[in-house]
């Protein structure tokens, strides 16, 4: 836990220098320029308070009420508009400040307005947070928030607030030269703040952020994405040996394997509730004692999992004869991935040769308390989990730990490492976009008519990362089914665009109004829509023949 305190502070500090600061920068400057010298501190106090408390309490409320996170930004923008009104209309300021008078001995003043402004920024700034803060949100949403979670959220908020305090103090000093025009400065600050709030509410800020290079992205990855930090984050999420995995009995191999400088997370849970096995007879963890085992959670239509597969296959080829085994636990995301025939065909098509377990009821997933596709749990020869990796990337570290355990187990000389190219995206891309109403986000256009054929029309324009339907669609919880003249638009930013499709039929593709090929849909799986060496922003339109199902977009 000790390592996460400075990391959380540094991560918050770095976040304040990313393009995320752009939409709130004029608000901080305008808010700091107006009022007394205490106002910048009030702004920071409000930001830290709501950033911390709303994340801990509000995130839980949003989770329980199934309210999408995008409305959190709109609430913050509405509060910012209210603060702007207080700067332009003095009477409004008195009303807003009145509940905060107990915080100051002065009668009236501007501490309350500053606190309210900071509180608004706390809501707006939450989506900028990275992996450290994501752990806080996950813990809250799953009712596992404790003192560690609160402390990380608080320290992260303070780190993000420090640069803003400097900005607000600087703008206040600059404003002292305009004391003779105080009312003009106040109104101008209110107008700037109102304009910035509108930009945030209308999502125009997303486009602005994307046009600015991610000039601290590498620093962010170094601070929040390194191996030690990810292991500590896993511990905060409840992935400690004592909580997740029972302690295994010692073996004759223990003295050698325990000398390996890897953390021991405890005994690996057994494979539970497996409906079918592919490429092997039924296995158990005890059957694999004496082997180094990589338990990989995946699903065949997940692009992140597919980008990981070449690395798994390379390790299997290199080390299988030296005592290494992989068990791919296929845990489905969509209904069609429960089908044994679909999974068997995918395993054959993808050339997967190691054992695959079909975990249709999430029994093994829950035994490991897993939350990610893909996720790797490296198990030593005694059956103890010694390495965790969630998501793509960090392949070099995983292979190093495989080799370390094999050597400790007496596997002798190992072949030289032949690393596959790491295709994990590093740029800011359009987020994964689900098409059914259960997880539909960034949608524009006609009102959704659930579970019934309905005629949809495209909006006049489409914001970045947004999608829309046209023609006849039946929108279900996890998929949409094409009817007559069914079309789908998406404004994306990526190298590659993928879509999960099902059924039989054709999908015509156009980019920025020009034909760009056709997809022949022959079954339920992931299809490549766009593949480009250049990062690009474009308007994608897909035209479907009736009966084709569409589930989600992913990007690379």
């Amino acid at each position: 836990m000790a390592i996460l305190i400075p990391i959380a502070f540094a991560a918050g500090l770095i976040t304040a220098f990313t393009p995320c600061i752009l939409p709130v920068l004029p608000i901080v400057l305008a808010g700091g320029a107006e009022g007394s010298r205490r106002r910048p501190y009030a702004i920071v106090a409000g930001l830290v308070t709501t950033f911390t408390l709303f994340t801990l309490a509000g995130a839980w409320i949003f989770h329980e009420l199934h309210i999408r996170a995008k409305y959190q930004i709109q609430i913050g923008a509405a509060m910012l508009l209210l603060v702007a009104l207080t700067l332009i209309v003095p009477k409004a300021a008195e009303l807003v400040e009145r509940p905060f008078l107990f915080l100051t001995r002065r009668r009236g003043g501007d501490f309350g307005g500053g606190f309210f402004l900071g509180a608004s920024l706390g809501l707006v700034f939450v989506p900028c947070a990275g992996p450290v803060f994501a752990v806080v949100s996950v813990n809250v949403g799953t009712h596992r928030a404790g003192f560690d979670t609160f402390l990380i959220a608080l320290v992260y908020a303070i780190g993000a607030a420090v640069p803003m305090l400097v900005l607000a103090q600087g703008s206040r000093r600059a404003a002292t030269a305009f004391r003779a025009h105080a009312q003009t400065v106040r109104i101008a600050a209110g107008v700037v703040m109102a304009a910035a709030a509108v930009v945030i509410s209308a999502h125009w800020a997303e486009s602005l952020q994307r046009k600015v290079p991610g000039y601290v992205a590498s620093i962010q990855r170094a601070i929040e994405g390194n191996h030690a930090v990810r292991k500590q984050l896993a511990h905060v999420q409840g992935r400690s040996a004592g909580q997740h995995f029972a302690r295994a009995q010692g073996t004759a191999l223990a003295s050698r394997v325990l000398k390996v400088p890897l953390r021991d997370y405890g005994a690996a849970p057994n494979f539970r509730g497996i409906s079918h096995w592919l490429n092997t007879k039924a296995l158990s963890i005890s059957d694999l004692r004496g082997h180094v085992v990589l338990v990989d959670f995946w699903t065949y239509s997940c692009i992140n999992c597919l980008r990981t597969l070449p690395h798994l296959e390379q390790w299997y080829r290199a080390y299988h004869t030296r005592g290494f085994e992989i068990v791919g636990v296929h845990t489905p995301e969509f209904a069609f991935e429960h089908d044994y025939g679909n999974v068997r065909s995918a395993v054959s098509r993808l050339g997967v040769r190691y054992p695959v377990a079909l975990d249709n009821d999430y029994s093994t997933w829950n035994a490991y308390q897993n939350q990610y596709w893909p996720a790797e749990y490296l198990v030593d020869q005694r059956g103890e989990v010694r390495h965790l990796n969630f998501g793509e990337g960090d392949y070099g570290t995983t292979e190093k730990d495989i080799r370390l355990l094999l050597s400790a187990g007496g596997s002798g000389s190992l072949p030289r490492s032949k690393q596959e190219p790491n295709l994990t995206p590093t740029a800011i891309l359009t987020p994964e976009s689900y098409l059914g109403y259960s997880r539909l986000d960034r949608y524009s256009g006609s009102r959704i008519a659930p579970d019934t054929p309905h005629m949809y029309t495209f909006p006049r324009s489409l914001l970045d990362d947004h999608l829309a339907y046209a023609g006849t669609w039946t929108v279900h919880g996890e998929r949409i089914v094409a009817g007559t003249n069914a079309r789908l638009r998406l404004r994306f930013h990526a190298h590659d665009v993928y879509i999960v499709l099902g059924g039989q039929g054709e999908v015509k593709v156009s980019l920025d109004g020009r034909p760009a090929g056709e997809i022949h849909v022959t079954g339920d799986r992931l299809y490549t829509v766009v593949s480009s060496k250049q990062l690009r922003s474009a308007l994608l339109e897909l035209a479907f023949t009736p009966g084709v199902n569409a589930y989600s977009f992913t990007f690379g």
Side-chain angles (χ1 to χ4, degrees):
M1 179 63 191
I3 191 176
L4 288 182
I5 300 303
I7 289 295
F9 180 82
L13 196 68
I14 291 297
T15 301
F17 290 95
T18 67
C20 267
I21 192 68
L22 294 176
V24 302
L25 181 60
I27 300 172
V28 174
L29 293 173
E34 195 280 324
S36 74
R37 61 170 176 251
R38 298 185 307 161
R39 188 176 176 86
Y41 295 98
I43 294 172
V44 168
L47 188 150
V48 170
T49 299
T50 56
F51 194 96
T52 305
L53 296 184
F54 187 83
T55 298
L56 296 173
W60 177 78
I61 293 170
F62 275 16
H63 179 269
E64 293 300 307
L65 297 179
H66 305 287
I67 297 174
R68 297 174 191 165
K70 67 179 183 180
Y71 295 119
Q72 178 175 318
I73 299 177
Q74 293 174 347
I75 293 169
M79 292 171 67
L80 291 173
L81 281 173
L82 179 58
V83 174
L85 180 65
T86 67
L87 296 180
I88 298 170
V89 183
K91 286 291 184 183
E94 293 178 11
L95 293 174
V96 170
E97 291 174 2
R98 192 170 296 163
F100 301 96
L101 291 182
F102 72 94
L103 296 172
T104 175
R105 293 182 180 180
R106 288 181 56 193
R107 192 176 186 280
D110 59 3
F111 192 92
F115 187 90
F116 194 85
L117 171 59
S120 308
L121 290 177
L123 300 184
V124 171
F125 207 65
V126 165
C128 294
V132 169
F133 197 73
V135 168
V136 175
S137 299
V138 169
N139 280 9
V140 171
T142 53
H143 308 279
R144 286 189 279 108
F147 179 74
D148 288 357
T149 304
F150 168 78
L151 192 58
I152 290 172
L154 178 62
V155 172
Y156 192 106
I158 293 172
V162 166
M164 296 188 190
L165 175 61
V166 174
L167 286 172
Q169 282 281 28
S171 62
R172 194 195 68 80
R173 292 191 188 98
T176 56
F178 300 96
R179 285 296 182 190
H181 307 283
Q183 184 60 22
T184 302
V185 171
R186 183 184 180 97
I187 293 174
V191 171
V192 169
M193 199 175 297
V198 171
V199 167
I200 292 169
S201 179
H203 301 286
W204 296 334
E206 297 170 5
S207 177
L208 175 63
Q209 291 166 16
R210 182 165 290 123
K211 290 177 173 60
V212 177
Y215 38 82
V216 294
S218 59
I219 302 175
Q220 273 187 303
R221 288 193 295 273
I223 291 175
E224 298 188 71
N226 72 73
H227 192 60
V229 171
R230 286 206 278 186
K231 285 192 173 183
Q232 289 296 317
L233 292 175
H235 176 73
V236 172
Q237 285 182 283
R239 298 184 181 280
S240 66
Q243 289 178 294
H244 260 235
F245 310 123
R247 183 61 52 200
Q249 298 297 318
T251 69
L253 196 62
S255 59
R256 278 182 294 173
V257 174
L258 283 174
K259 291 180 180 178
V260 173
L262 296 176
R263 181 172 176 176
D264 189 342
Y265 292 89
N270 199 15
F271 306 114
R272 302 177 185 174
I274 303 302
S275 60
H276 297 86
W277 286 88
L278 296 171
N279 299 335
T280 184
K281 64 178 183 180
L283 295 173
S284 67
I285 288 294
S286 60
D287 293 335
L288 296 169
R289 290 284 172 86
H291 292 75
V292 175
V293 182
L294 187 68
V295 179
D296 172 65
F297 286 90
W298 73 298
T299 185
Y300 78 80
S301 72
C302 162
I303 186 58
N304 313 89
C305 302
L306 296 180
R307 283 195 289 253
T308 301
L309 273 181
H311 300 272
L312 301 180
E313 291 165 354
Q314 171 60 34
W315 300 335
Y316 191 74
R317 287 191 298 269
Y319 306 120
H320 181 57
T321 58
R322 307 302 178 94
F324 175 65
E325 187 62 87
I326 298 177
V327 176
V329 180
H330 186 276
T331 311
E333 181 176 15
F334 299 117
F336 65 82
E337 293 171 323
H338 287 74
D339 185 85
Y340 170 69
N342 287 346
V343 180
R344 183 180 58 187
S345 297
V347 166
S348 175
R349 182 177 68 252
L350 295 169
V352 176
R353 292 181 292 172
Y354 50 78
V356 174
L358 275 63
D359 182 30
N360 282 347
D361 295 327
Y362 282 61
S363 298
T364 300
W365 173 285
N366 290 332
Y368 280 77
Q369 298 190 27
N370 186 50
Q371 299 177 41
Y372 306 98
W373 293 283
E376 282 86 41
Y377 298 79
L378 185 61
V379 182
D380 69 18
Q381 294 92 332
R382 304 171 302 132
E384 302 275 305
V385 177
R386 305 300 296 275
H387 169 94
L388 310 174
N389 190 64
F390 308 124
E392 301 177 71
D394 209 12
Y395 302 114
T397 300
T398 301
E399 184 175 15
K400 176 180 69 67
D401 291 350
I402 291 170
R403 295 173 66 91
L404 204 60
L405 290 174
L406 288 173
S407 296
S411 295
S413 61
L414 300 173
R416 293 182 61 183
S417 175
K418 297 180 181 178
Q419 293 187 5
E420 290 287 319
N422 187 349
L423 302 180
T424 306
T426 56
I428 299 175
L429 306 178
T430 296
E432 182 173 7
S433 302
Y434 293 93
L435 299 174
Y437 60 74
S438 294
R439 289 185 282 180
L440 183 63
D441 202 1
R442 298 178 302 280
Y443 168 79
S444 302
S446 309
R447 181 182 59 84
I448 299 296
D451 302 311
T452 186
H454 184 73
M455 177 68 73
Y456 295 86
T457 56
F458 286 139
R460 291 184 179 180
S461 61
L462 205 56
L463 296 172
D464 290 349
D465 302 334
H466 280 60
L467 59 90
Y469 315 137
T472 301
W473 287 98
T474 302
V475 181
H476 297 291
E478 70 170 26
R479 65 190 171 111
I480 55 177
V481 181
T484 306
N485 196 30
R487 289 172 294 154
L488 178 61
R489 279 184 185 169
L490 168 73
R491 190 169 290 281
F492 72 90
H493 182 78
H495 292 273
D496 309 311
V497 180
Y498 308 95
I499 188 171
V500 179
L501 299 172
Q504 305 281 333
E506 308 295 326
V507 179
K508 292 183 178 180
V509 181
S510 66
L511 287 172
D512 292 329
R514 292 185 290 273
E518 192 170 281
I519 301 171
H520 303 284
V521 184
T522 57
D524 302 307
R525 62 183 180 86
L526 187 77
Y527 294 82
T528 301
V529 182
V530 176
S531 182
S532 171
K533 292 182 179 179
Q534 302 296 321
L535 190 62
R536 63 187 300 181
S537 296
L539 179 64
L540 171 69
E541 182 170 327
L542 305 178
F544 296 74
T545 56
V548 175
N549 303 327
Y551 292 82
S552 68
F553 283 109
T554 49
F555 306 89

